Structures are given as structure tokens and as C-alpha cells.
């Protein structure tokens, strides 16, 4: 077999594996949108079976025999083929480091831990979850050792979600972010707070839905290659670049929560609709990391959806969507309301100013648990103390504290930092967008998003995994990971909003 034939064969095998992955994603999507409750048990089985089949197909002898010689011939391959072999070899090397027995044990422990967590959170009963978490921490250490790492053990786990990132880099960036954002939040909370009684109304669900759908179409989300549905927790998923779906949840007492989640998930979905057609059914039609994926959702949700020019354009539509409810409002009133800062207990409800602080807390605690500096049993106390230090709030119970997130029960250690990295990347990209697109805000206030989407398509989306995240950020902005643009963005937006100098 020559290298052309090998590539051809590899593409066929990867295409099959990708199809199995798409079927799995569709099962997950259905599980969270339409599946009747009694379907849960069977669905769990179907997902486990397909996951095992996908894993087996990927770590097969055939894949190994195809990539081994191709690695030796990289310089003879076309650019696209070389990137494909590199991405596949990277995934393969990591996948074979975890023995099937270990993967099964982890999955078993994980599913028990998840069930225990659901009950523990409902009853705010940390001791009931603690032994499961302890087992998971031990398995995470084992996993890191199997995968291998340089320096800190945490690096092995971080690599799973943010390739090439190290704990040292994250810690040094977070130190600055924590201090600066902590200061900003403190002065905002001491300033005069906005009075917004008009927000206390009932916002009919259907009207919210229709308004969100209009915005989705306006910003360039292709509704013939995607759809939006209801689910308890909003998410986005793709089965193919021509079928990228999102979900949202609507609260009738909150005018903006569904809309902002729609914009957030649309940011993820626009990314996936923008992968190259020629990369479909290969590992190249994926984001190189969660941080860069999150940068896209944050950019649309925060930089665009929470901006004044956006609301200068959409105010008449918003008023028409809720007849008689918003007649005396100005775009500035909406801008004020949608950018309220509050010290809160729950990460997923946090605003732009406090969000990263919630992430920093989790990053520090999971590191400490992994290294053994923090005993799992002592987690609630450590959590509550850090909430006091970083956010200045008292945690009333563990359900509103260390039991609030699903991540640890799902064995996702090293995941949290990617949320904050996404914020930082979004501001780095956005700073460059403002420099490179003439009269950017003029086009947004006219409801024209084509230039923005074109820029993102060109600099981020179409690249897929042909570059790593640091390479994408460096190529697009000329800089490495940097907290400066995000802190500048926050200060220049929120200080005027709260009358601070
Ligand atoms: Zn997201």
C-alpha cells in the first residue's frame, strides 16, 4: 500500500468512527430533549454499547497499522493529510494509554458517583457524596499517571480539554485575573445599584422563543442545518457540519436568561457550522480545545449580546415581541439591565464580572484535591472559605456550594479552567476584531453581523484542528494567552455603568 492508499483507507475508517460518534451524539441529544422517562435505562445501555464500539474501532490494529508508516512519511503528504495524520496520531497515542479495564472502572465509578451526586445535591448532603468523590480523585491520579505528564500531575488532566496548556500558565494568569476582578467587583458592589422595577413582569414563553429564533436567523445560524429545542440544561451538539443543534430553557420570570443562553449556544453552533466541508467525518472538523470553543460562545453572548449597539438595533423588535410591556424603555435601559453585577453563589448564573472568580475557586480546589493538599472530606469548609475571600458571600448549604456543579461527579477534572480561558481568548479576539473591522459597531447597530461572522469563520472556524489553540490565538491576534484584553474590556464597560472612575 502506498501513502495515498493508506490515507484513503484511514479516511474511510475515521469516517465510520465519526458516524458512530454522530449516532451517539444524537442519542444524547434525544435523551435531553424528547426521550420519555422510562426510556432512560435502555438509553444508558445503548450509549454504553456504542461508546465501546467506537473506542474499539479507534484503538484497533488496523488504525495502528495505518498511522505507524504515515508518521514516517509526513513530509511527503499534502498539508491537509499531514494535519489529519497528526491529529489522529495524537488521539490514538492518548487513547491506547488507558487500558480497557481502567476505562470500564472509571465509567462504573463515574455513573455511581453521578447518581450519588444527584441525591446529595437534592438533600444538600455532602457526606453521602464524599466517598464517591474520594474514589474519583484516586482514579484521576491514576489516569494522569497512565497518560503521563511533565511537571505537575494536573497537567495530564488539563491536556484532555486544553491541549498544550499548563497549570503554571493558568495559575499565573488566574492570579492577576483574580486580583483585578475581585477589586472591580468590590467597587461595583459598593457603588449605587440600578433600580429596575420593569424587569418584574411575566414574559410569555412563546414570545421569548420567537424573539430568540429571529435573532438566531439574523446572526447567521443556518436553520436548515440546525434547530433549537427545549432542554433542562442548554447545550449545543453536532452530528455533521450540516446538522448542528442547540437547546435553551425558558423562564417566564426572566426576560433575558433564555435569550442569552440562545446566543451562547449559537456561538458554539456557528463555530461547528463553519468547519471545512472537506474535513467532515474526520477529527479535523473539531475545535482544538474547549477554551477556544467557549471563546466563540462568550463572544456572541457577552461582547455582542450585552452591548449597547446590539440593543439599539433590537429594541424595536423586543418591544414588538412583548406588546405593551416595554413601551417607555430605551436601549440604554436594556443595556443597564442586562449588565447587572451581583455577588452570587451559583456559577452558571454569574455575570461577566464575577464569573471567572467562580472558576478560579474550582481550579484551586481541584488542584489541591488532586495533589492531596486538600482532603476530600474537608472540601465544603475550603469551598465556603474561598467563596468568602473571592466573592464575599456566605454559603448557606452545600447544595449552593461545593455540590452545585456536575463536573466532579462526571470525573471532569481539569475542565473548569477552560471556561475562564474562553473568556480571556474571546476578549483577545474581540480586541483584534475592533481593530480590523472598520465601523464595527456601526454595522452591529444596523443588525449586520456578516462581517463579524466572516472574520470568525476565516480566523477560527474553518481551521478546525488544523492548528492548536495557542497557534490560532497567536495567528489571529499576534499574542499568546493574555488576561490584559479581558480586564481592559471589563473595566471600560463596567466602570462607566456603575459611575466609577
Ligand atoms: Zn459554552
Amino acid at each position: 500500500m502506498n501513502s495515498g492508499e493508506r490515507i484513503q483507507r484511514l479516511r474511510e475508517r475515521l469516517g465510520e468512527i465519526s458516524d458512530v460518534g454522530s449516532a451517539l451524539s444524537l442519542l444524547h441529544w434525544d435523551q435531553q430533549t424528547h426521550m420519555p422517562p422510562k426510556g432512560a435505562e435502555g438509553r444508558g445501555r445503548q450509549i454504553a454499547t456504542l461508546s465501546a464500539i467506537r473506542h474499539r474501532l479507534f484503538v484497533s490494529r488496523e488504525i495502528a497499522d495505518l498511522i505507524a508508516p504515515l508518521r514516517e512519511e509526513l513530509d511527503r503528504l499534502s498539508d491537509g493529510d499531514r494535519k489529519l495524520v497528526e491529529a489522529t496520531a495524537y488521539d490514538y497515542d492518548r487513547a491506547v494509554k488507558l487500558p480497557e479495564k481502567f476505562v470500564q472502572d472509571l465509567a462504573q465509578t463515574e455513573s455511581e458517583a453521578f447518581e450519588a451526586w444527584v441525591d446529595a445535591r437534592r438533600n444538600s448532603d455532602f457526606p453521602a457524596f464524599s466517598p464517591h468523590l474520594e474514589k474519583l480523585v484516586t482514579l484521576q491520579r491514576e489516569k494522569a499517571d497512565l497518560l503521563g505528564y511533565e511537571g505537575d500531575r494536573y497537567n495530564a488532566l488539563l491536556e484532555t480539554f486544553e491541549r498544550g496548556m499548563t497549570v503554571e500558565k493558568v495559575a499565573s494568569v488566574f492570579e492577576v485575573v483574580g486580583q483585578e476582578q475581585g477589586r472591580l467587583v468590590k467597587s461595583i458592589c459598593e457603588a449605587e445599584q440600578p433600580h429596575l422595577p420593569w424587569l418584574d413582569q411575566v414574559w410569555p414563553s412563546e414570545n421569548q422563543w420567537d424573539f430568540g429564533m429571529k435573532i438566531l436567523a439574523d446572526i447567521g445560524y443556518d436553520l436548515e442545518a440546525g434547530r433549537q429545542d427545549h432542554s433542562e440544561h442548554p447545550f449545543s451538539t453536532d452530528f455533521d457540519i450540516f446538522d448542528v443543534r442547540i437547546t435553551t430553557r425558558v423562564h417566564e420570570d426572566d426576560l433575558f436568561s433564555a435569550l442569552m443562553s440562545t446566543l451562547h449556544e449559537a456561538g458554539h453552533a456557528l463555530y461547528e457550522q463553519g468547519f471545512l466541508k472537506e474535513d467532515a467525518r474526520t477529527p479535523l472538523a473539531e475545535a482544538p480545545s474547549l477554551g477556544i470553543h467557549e471563546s466563540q460562545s462568550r463572544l456572541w453572548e457577552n461582547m455582542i449580546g450585552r452591548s449597547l449597539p446590539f440593543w439599539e438595533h433590537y429594541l424595536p423588535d423586543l418591544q414588538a415581541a412583548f406588546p405593551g410591556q416595554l413601551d417607555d424603555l430605551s436601549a440604554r435601559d436594556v443595556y443597564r439591565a442586562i449588565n447587572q453585577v451581583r455577588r452570587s453563589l451559583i456559577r452558571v448564573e454569574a455575570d461577566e464580572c464575577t464569573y471567572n472568580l467562580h472558576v478560579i475557586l474550582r481550579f484551586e480546589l481541584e488542584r489541591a484535591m488532586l495533589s492531596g493538599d486538600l482532603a476530600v472530606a474537608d472540601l465544603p469548609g475550603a469551598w465556603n472559605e474561598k467563596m468568602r475571600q473571592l466573592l464575599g458571600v456566605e454559603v448557606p448549604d452545600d447544595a449552593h456550594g461545593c455540590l452545585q456543579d456536575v463536573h466532579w461527579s462526571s470525573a471532569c477534572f481539569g475542565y473548569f479552567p477552560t471556561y475562564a480561558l474562553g473568556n480571556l481568548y474571546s476578549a483577545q479576539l474581540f480586541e483584534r476584531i475592533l481593530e480590523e473591522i472598520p465601523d464595527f459597531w456601526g454595522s452591529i447597530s444596523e443588525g449586520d453581523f456578516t462581517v463579524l461572522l466572516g472574520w470568525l469563520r476565516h480566523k477560527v472556524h474553518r481551521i478546525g484542528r488544523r492548528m492548536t489553540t495557542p497557534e490560532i490565538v497567536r495567528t489571529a491576534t499576534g499574542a499568546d494567552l493574555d488576561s490584559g484584553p479581558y480586564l481592559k474590556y471589563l473595566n471600560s464597560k463596567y466602570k462607566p455603568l456603575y459611575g466609577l472612575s
Side-chain angles (χ1 to χ4, degrees):
M1 220 188 307
N2 63 33
S3 59
E5 288 163 343
R6 270 191 211 102
I7 286 285
Q8 184 56 31
R9 186 70 64 86
L10 182 65
R11 283 186 181 276
E12 283 165 17
R13 294 291 90 85
L14 292 174
E16 288 166 2
I17 293 163
S18 156
D19 291 343
V20 175
S22 298
L24 261 172
S25 302
L26 183 57
L27 289 181
H28 278 292
W29 172 85
D30 176 74
Q31 190 177 36
Q32 296 183 63
T33 51
H34 296 295
M35 187 189 74
K38 288 183 180 168
E41 209 184 308
R43 185 55 48 87
R45 254 192 328 266
Q46 294 143 14
I47 288 175
T49 301
L50 272 191
S51 303
I53 289 175
R54 180 175 58 173
H55 181 74
R56 226 170 288 149
L57 286 173
F58 188 59
V59 296
S60 66
R61 191 70 258 160
E62 190 180 6
I63 296 277
D65 289 345
L66 286 168
I67 48 181
L70 284 168
R71 281 183 209 243
E72 309 300 321
E73 307 166 339
L74 283 181
D75 47 359
R76 272 184 270 151
L77 301 178
S78 70
D79 187 54
D81 288 345
R82 185 161 37 84
K83 301 283 185 196
L84 178 66
V85 172
E86 280 171 352
T88 307
Y90 172 84
D91 293 345
Y92 182 84
D93 289 345
R94 281 179 70 83
V96 293
K97 280 181 185 161
L98 302 178
E100 203 161 315
K101 172 87 175 63
F102 177 82
V103 175
Q104 278 168 355
D105 284 353
L106 183 61
Q108 185 63 35
T109 312
E110 203 183 301
S111 80
E112 287 163 13
F114 177 77
E115 270 176 54
W117 168 77
V118 171
D119 286 341
R121 184 167 82 149
R122 193 181 310 121
N123 306 322
S124 200
D125 181 5
F126 180 77
F129 178 56
S130 185
H132 295 277
L133 184 56
E134 219 153 303
K135 268 194 221 163
L136 280 174
V137 169
T138 307
L139 285 170
Q140 293 297 301
R141 287 189 195 122
E142 228 174 286
K143 182 179 173 184
D145 293 346
L146 287 165
L147 289 170
Y149 51 87
E150 275 176 44
D152 200 303
R153 200 185 236 157
Y154 187 87
N155 283 335
L157 305 177
L158 192 54
E159 175 82 8
T160 311
F161 305 108
E162 198 66 25
R163 185 178 172 185
M165 187 52 64
T166 63
V167 72
E168 294 78 12
K169 259 188 251 175
V170 173
S172 79
V173 169
F174 280 7
E175 195 183 325
V176 179
V177 168
Q179 280 168 8
E180 290 264 333
Q181 284 191 227
R183 251 199 302 272
L184 179 63
V185 170
K186 186 166 180 287
S187 38
I188 285 174
C189 291
E190 285 162 1
E192 197 189 325
Q193 300 302 305
H195 183 57
L196 306 159
W198 59 270
L199 280 176
D200 294 326
Q201 301 186 56
V202 174
W203 312 98
S205 166
E206 257 175 57
N207 309 39
Q208 290 197 43
W209 185 267
D210 294 345
F211 185 57
M213 291 304 291
K214 175 185 166 31
I215 291 182
L216 277 179
D218 288 355
I219 63 174
Y221 175 67
D222 182 354
L223 282 155
E224 297 200 341
R227 51 179 288 133
Q228 180 170 246
D229 290 85
H230 293 273
S231 70
E232 199 180 325
H233 301 286
F235 66 95
S236 69
T237 183
D238 75 309
F239 317 133
D240 182 78
I241 58 170
F242 295 113
D243 193 348
V244 183
R245 305 187 187 186
I246 62 172
T247 68
T248 191
R249 64 176 162 198
V250 180
H251 301 292
E252 291 209 317
D253 61 351
D254 192 326
L255 175 56
F256 297 117
S257 133
L259 179 64
M260 286 298 121
S261 107
T262 292
L263 268 173
H264 181 100
E265 300 307 333
H268 285 303
L270 286 169
Y271 190 176
E272 300 192 335
Q273 287 186 337
F275 294 139
L276 290 179
K277 244 183 273 175
E278 65 198 78
D279 288 344
R281 297 176 79 232
T282 79
L284 294 181
E286 285 167 17
S289 77
L290 290 187
I292 195 77
H293 221 310
E294 194 67 5
S295 76
Q296 300 304 293
S297 56
R298 300 277 165 176
L299 197 146
W300 285 97
E301 178 192 353
N302 293 329
M303 275 82 187
I304 305 301
R306 295 183 203 276
S307 74
L308 184 56
F310 182 86
W311 288 104
E312 282 166 351
H313 176 72
Y314 277 112
L315 180 66
D317 293 314
L318 184 72
Q319 287 168 324
F322 300 95
Q325 290 191 266
L326 296 163
D327 291 348
D328 302 323
L329 225 60
S330 69
R332 186 156 272 286
D333 292 330
V334 177
Y335 177 60
R336 192 81 198 75
I338 210 164
N339 288 299
Q340 275 189 91
V341 178
R342 289 194 207 100
R343 287 174 157 150
S344 66
L345 291 162
I346 308 295
R347 175 186 61 87
V348 295
E349 291 163 11
D351 53 74
E352 285 182 281
C353 286
T354 53
Y355 191 90
N356 285 343
L357 302 175
H358 289 271
V359 173
I360 291 170
L361 170 140
R362 287 155 178 77
F363 167 68
E364 290 178 356
L365 293 178
E366 66 181 12
R367 262 187 89 187
M369 281 191 285
L370 194 75
S371 70
D373 287 348
L374 173 65
V376 167
D378 297 333
L379 176 65
W383 179 287
N384 300 350
E385 178 53 34
K386 273 207 188 293
M387 281 300 282
R388 223 169 277 137
Q389 279 170 18
L390 281 163
L391 280 140
V393 288
E394 288 298 321
V395 179
D397 53 51
D398 293 337
H400 293 85
C402 64
L403 287 174
Q404 65 181 267
D405 293 306
V406 67
H407 301 62
W408 289 334
S409 76
S410 308
C412 288
F413 283 67
Y415 189 122
F416 282 121
T418 68
Y419 291 123
L421 295 173
N423 280 328
L424 305 184
Y425 295 140
S426 75
Q428 289 187 260
L429 295 169
F430 195 61
E431 190 171 69
R432 195 37 83 101
I433 287 167
L434 292 177
E435 281 164 26
E436 290 184 2
I437 302 180
D439 193 26
F440 175 78
W441 288 123
S443 58
I444 299 300
S445 66
E446 281 164 17
D448 179 358
F449 303 97
T450 49
V451 188
L452 169 61
L453 183 56
W455 194 96
L456 293 171
R457 287 266 191 264
H458 183 65
K459 304 279 184 173
V460 183
H461 301 174
R462 70 182 177 87
I463 295 168
R465 279 179 70 190
R466 285 162 186 260
M467 290 188 194
T468 62
T469 295
E471 286 167 349
I472 291 175
V473 174
R474 208 174 305 129
T475 309
T477 71
D480 291 321
L481 173 67
D482 178 8
S483 62
Y486 190 68
L487 295 170
K488 212 158 103 190
Y489 160 77
L490 284 185
N491 280 311
S492 63
K493 178 172 178 179
Y494 286 92
K495 283 189 170 170
L497 267 169
Y498 281 88
L500 304 168
S501 52

